Amino acid sequence: MAVIHKQSDMYVYALSPAVSARPTEQTNGYNRTPLIVATMTCAREIFQVIVELKKECHCTYGKMECDSHDLTGIDSINPVQGDTDPQSALVWTIDGTTQAHLEMLETTIIARVLEQKRKTFGRETFLM
């Protein structure tokens, strides 16, 4: 409910160990994670909060951090079977029909995934 109502503070509180031991990957009745619901409802702020909660920090040096992000649920490639994942945040963002979905493309992680896909797969297509 916190994701649908775009209440990022309540979402962070609900995931705190004092309240619940639920993982961020728990699904609702429609088999959608909070990340997918945030993408569907174009809730950029809470999308960023969810991505930040899922990141893994490897090292810090002053104000610099070296982080890695689990792309499960974000990238359009299913990590298990290797086929297209229609329930990914990238697919929901690209297939969206509103201006808010286009603004979701500017989200840091979505923009980086699209840039890497363009460099890896699109470059050869456009050069030939």
Side-chain angles (χ1 to χ4, degrees):
M1 292 301 287
V3 175
I4 293 171
H5 295 290
K6 301 176 184 173
Q7 298 175 341
S8 56
D9 294 336
M10 184 57 74
Y11 180 75
V12 172
Y13 176 73
L15 289 179
S16 67
V19 177
S20 174
R22 295 177 155 177
T24 58
E25 295 303 315
Q26 186 171 2
T27 59
N28 63 8
Y30 296 103
N31 200 27
R32 295 184 179 132
T33 63
L35 186 72
I36 301 305
V37 174
T39 306
M40 290 172 60
T41 58
C42 302
R44 262 178 92 171
E45 180 184 334
I46 198 157
F47 179 85
Q48 285 292 103
V49 168
I50 294 168
V51 168
E52 288 296 313
L53 287 172
K54 290 177 61 172
K55 76 177 181 183
E56 183 178 335
C57 181
H58 295 284
C59 65
T60 58
Y61 183 75
K63 292 183 178 181
M64 297 293 292
E65 286 185 355
C66 178
D67 300 328
S68 65
H69 295 275
D70 180 18
L71 295 180
T72 304
I74 296 174
D75 194 9
S76 59
I77 304 298
N78 187 334
V80 179
Q81 289 96 8
D83 57 346
T84 303
D85 183 9
Q87 293 294 317
S88 69
L90 186 60
V91 170
W92 277 103
T93 304
I94 292 172
D95 287 346
T97 57
T98 65
Q99 180 68 28
H101 281 102
L102 289 177
E103 292 170 3
M104 288 284 292
L105 290 174
E106 297 172 2
T107 307
T108 306
I109 190 79
I110 296 288
R112 289 178 68 189
V113 168
L114 283 173
E115 181 64 21
Q116 279 304 120
K117 284 183 175 284
R118 184 194 64 80
K119 284 180 184 177
T120 305
F121 304 111
R123 186 177 205 154
E124 294 176 11
T125 302
F126 292 118
L127 290 177
M128 293 186 157

